[in-house]
Amino acid sequence: MLVNLKYVLDLAEKGNFAIPAFNVYNMETVMGIIKAAEETKAPVIIQNYSRLVTNEEGYYLAPIVLAAAEKASVPVCFHLDHGASEEAVVRSLRFGATGIMIDKSLLPFEENVAATKSVVELCKAVGVEVEGEIGHVGTAANGDEQTTEYTTVEEAKTFVENTGVVALAIAVGTAHGRYKKAPRIAIDRIAEIHDAVDASLVLHGGSGIPDEEIKASIKAGIRKINFGTDICFSFLDKVFETSRDVYAIDLFMKDAIENVKEFAIKKIKLLGAENRI
């Protein structure tokens, strides 16, 4: 069933687990995620990256996500990931998104607050909640996971109180992409921010974080964890392995769908989201 962002985040907060948020890129990745969620009886977030929304792919992909979510026997939120502009936000709302992330984290703090608050007000008009971001969640290829510029408790509290976001992505040592070496997550900082703010905390850059770090971050208060890069690899690795003798595309894709499903099941179980419905 299609639900809003706050619905799944409230489930996670009440149950002390994290919602897996999977970025999807085509029908097959959507199918793999939905199959995993239904098999494990887990609530999930299916995300479209901002680029897909503002390019033509989102026009075709959004109806697939919506159809899958509405048919699913588990709660599914359809979310914009790293919305880069108001255009991406408006397009996502028109495409049927039930959650929005606006990422203005590269702006000075005050400008980030103002831009995020504007999007929160826009989305409020249609009953959609918003995720924001403060601090630098960079790119693993650049070694950004080694940053010590973590989000402070004061910044997080001020941001949430002045924007009205229901979810907040924080900088605590993670980065996007595959890590050159395992990141050091600031678990104590997560716990401090969780105790101080009235918003669900989000960990970006979930691909490649050691399992024990994931578990510790959830125990400290993380309620949503994003997986994008490893979804791509779980799909592409199987595509590259599949024989070219299988030329009917629907048959060719079956193993890739299964590989995405198996990857998603592992993450659902790791985050404690299994059997929550």
Side-chain angles (χ1 to χ4, degrees):
M1 58 180 172
L2 182 65
V3 300
N4 62 36
L5 178 61
K6 193 172 187 303
Y7 182 94
V8 291
L9 293 177
D10 284 349
L11 289 177
E13 188 62 48
K14 183 178 180 180
N16 295 313
F17 67 97
I19 301 290
F22 299 111
N23 284 65
V24 296
Y25 300 86
N26 56 11
M27 180 180 74
E28 288 77 18
T29 48
V30 173
M31 290 174 67
I33 299 307
I34 291 294
K35 286 174 181 289
E38 292 195 312
E39 189 170 311
T40 56
K41 296 180 174 60
V44 296
I45 295 172
I46 291 183
Q47 303 186 152
N48 277 356
Y49 190 65
S50 187
R51 177 186 68 246
L52 298 180
V53 174
T54 51
N55 291 346
E56 64 179 351
E57 291 89 350
Y59 177 84
Y60 299 98
L61 185 55
I64 294 172
V65 175
L66 288 175
E70 289 168 353
K71 181 177 179 291
S73 59
V74 296
V76 180
C77 172
F78 177 28
H79 194 58
L80 169 66
D81 185 33
H82 285 287
S85 63
E86 190 168 293
E87 177 192 356
V89 171
V90 172
R91 281 177 176 261
S92 294
L93 293 174
R94 289 178 67 94
F95 288 162
T98 56
I100 293 290
M101 183 199 177
I102 183 68
D103 181 3
K104 295 296 183 180
S105 60
L106 292 179
L107 293 176
F109 184 80
E110 293 79 9
E111 293 179 32
N112 184 3
V113 168
T116 303
K117 182 178 180 180
S118 177
V119 168
V120 170
E121 292 299 321
L122 172 66
C123 293
K124 186 184 296 183
V126 289
V128 174
E129 293 95 359
V130 176
E131 173 188 344
E133 179 174 332
I134 52 175
H136 177 66
V137 181
T139 304
N142 299 331
D144 289 340
E145 68 273 17
Q146 302 306 320
T147 181
T148 57
E149 296 179 2
Y150 302 139
T151 300
T152 69
V153 175
E154 183 179 352
E155 286 173 335
K157 189 173 181 180
T158 300
F159 189 88
V160 170
E161 290 175 351
N162 286 278
T163 61
V165 295
V166 302
L168 180 64
I170 55 176
V172 287
T174 59
H176 301 109
R178 285 199 160 177
Y179 298 96
K180 293 180 178 179
K181 58 182 179 179
R184 299 185 299 272
I185 309 300
I187 302 299
D188 290 346
R189 182 64 54 85
I190 294 171
E192 291 167 357
I193 295 174
H194 177 260
D195 288 343
V197 304
D198 185 22
S200 298
L201 300 185
V202 182
L203 194 68
H204 284 207
S207 296
I209 299 176
D211 289 358
E212 291 309 310
E213 292 280 281
I214 290 281
K215 291 176 181 177
S217 70
I218 295 169
K219 186 176 181 181
I222 290 293
R223 297 295 174 252
K224 172 179 179 275
I225 300 181
N226 290 12
F227 299 98
T229 301
D230 278 351
I231 286 287
C232 295
F233 277 101
S234 68
F235 176 78
L236 291 173
D237 286 348
K238 188 55 65 174
V239 165
F240 295 147
E241 291 174 7
T242 304
S243 171
R244 293 285 297 272
D245 292 337
V246 182
Y247 53 83
I249 294 176
D250 61 317
L251 300 179
F252 183 91
M253 288 294 182
K254 293 222 179 269
D255 286 345
I257 294 169
E258 185 68 17
N259 218 41
V260 170
K261 186 192 86 169
E262 292 304 319
F263 166 79
I265 286 174
K266 290 178 183 177
K267 297 307 178 184
I268 286 168
K269 292 181 177 180
L270 175 63
L271 271 56
E274 184 183 19
N275 294 322
R276 296 291 182 169
I277 305 304

